[in-house]
Amino acid sequence: MKMQSIIRAIYPAQCVACDAPTEDDFGLCSACWGDTQFIGGLICDTCGAPLSGDETDEVVQCDDCMTIARPWERGRAALVYNGVGRRLVLQLKHGDRTYLSRPAANWMARAATPLVKPDTVIVPVPLHWVRLVRRRYNQAALLAHALGKVIDRPVCADALLRPRATRPLEGHSRDARFQALSGAIVPNTKRGTLLTGKSVLLVDDVMTSGATLAAAAEAAKAGGVANVSIVTLARVVKDA
């Protein structure tokens, strides 16, 4: 018996969302696949939220992105943040299931393809050091490194810093989120001119109001990058 067969016999492939048997590693079973809302079709070009209507070649925006100034150029998301998508984000973020970054990166790569340029550098949204110590890892950095391998682009994990701790923002209003995050993220001066004039693809696990990504994009531009795009594993969508 080949070693791979022995390993598979001992550790059979399981669904990353529910642990049901699957044919391949790091995949979803048919039930979870059917319950996962992958984002496609007509989408907001700025944040990646799915929109109603037929797909078009024209650039369209959601209501939020038409009313809120976004300090980045374009954005995409792989999943809608509900059901299986929400469960995967929470398992990655709080459940120590760091291996979820591998399938997540494949889904994010498909979504982010239109955003990648020859000079793109991938940068994760940073965590404050206290939260990093408590969680032991930054889920955005895990996604960034995994995505970098999939799309073959460099990753600068410490290009941005979060010197000021912010309170958990779940349940807060959009305005409160933006106020709390204002100035909370800064460019890492020790990186010097590493990203000067480059294109940056910001990575985070989920976008709700966009306050965290806005703070990160503003910090990246303050550090001298030429342009910023964003990609997240999931996007919170109204009435989803």
Side-chain angles (χ1 to χ4, degrees):
M1 181 180 292
K2 294 182 179 180
M3 181 58 67
Q4 186 64 35
S5 299
I6 295 175
I7 294 174
R8 179 56 57 86
I10 299 174
Y11 303 105
Q14 294 179 314
C15 173
V16 296
C18 73
D19 297 332
T22 57
E23 293 184 2
D24 300 313
D25 292 319
F26 304 105
L28 294 168
C29 67
S30 57
C32 287
W33 181 273
D35 289 339
T36 303
Q37 285 188 257
F38 290 94
I39 295 177
L42 185 66
I43 61 172
C44 173
D45 192 60
T46 305
C47 73
L51 302 174
S52 59
D54 296 327
E55 190 172 1
T56 175
D57 292 332
E58 297 181 3
V59 174
V60 294
Q61 290 181 305
C62 66
D63 292 342
D64 283 348
C65 290
M66 285 192 291
T67 57
I68 302 173
R70 304 292 196 191
W72 64 80
E73 279 65 45
R74 305 178 70 192
R76 294 291 186 273
L79 314 171
V80 173
Y81 185 71
N82 70 355
V84 174
R86 180 177 183 275
R87 187 160 73 243
L88 290 172
V89 169
L90 294 178
Q91 288 173 343
L92 172 63
K93 191 170 186 175
H94 301 297
D96 288 335
R97 299 183 70 170
T98 56
Y99 60 85
L100 289 173
S101 62
R102 180 169 169 176
N106 290 323
W107 302 329
M108 294 170 70
R110 288 196 288 269
T113 296
L115 313 180
V116 180
K117 302 179 180 181
D119 67 338
T120 291
V121 178
I122 300 173
V123 173
V125 169
L127 281 181
H128 185 263
W129 70 268
V130 171
R131 190 167 295 177
L132 182 60
V133 169
R134 290 174 179 171
R135 192 174 296 167
R136 302 186 306 281
Y137 60 90
N138 177 2
Q139 72 280 359
L142 292 178
L143 291 170
H145 283 295
L147 179 61
K149 291 180 180 179
V150 176
I151 65 175
D152 193 26
R153 298 306 308 152
V155 178
C156 189
D158 61 348
L160 302 176
L161 303 175
R162 199 161 181 164
R164 177 164 61 84
T166 54
R167 65 187 184 276
L169 299 175
E170 289 81 0
H172 286 72
S173 68
R174 183 178 68 191
D175 290 344
R177 286 172 178 264
F178 276 88
Q179 183 176 3
L181 269 299
S182 178
I185 299 175
V186 299
N188 184 355
T189 56
K190 292 183 179 180
R191 280 302 187 183
T193 59
L194 182 65
L195 301 181
T196 300
K198 297 290 183 65
S199 300
V200 159
L201 180 62
L202 279 177
V203 172
D204 206 0
D205 56 343
V206 61
M207 175 178 171
T208 304
S209 67
T212 302
L213 286 159
E218 288 171 350
K221 288 189 172 182
V225 305
N227 59 78
V228 180
S229 292
I230 66 161
V231 63
T232 59
L233 172 57
R235 176 72 167 97
V236 174
V237 176
K238 296 176 183 178
D239 303 322

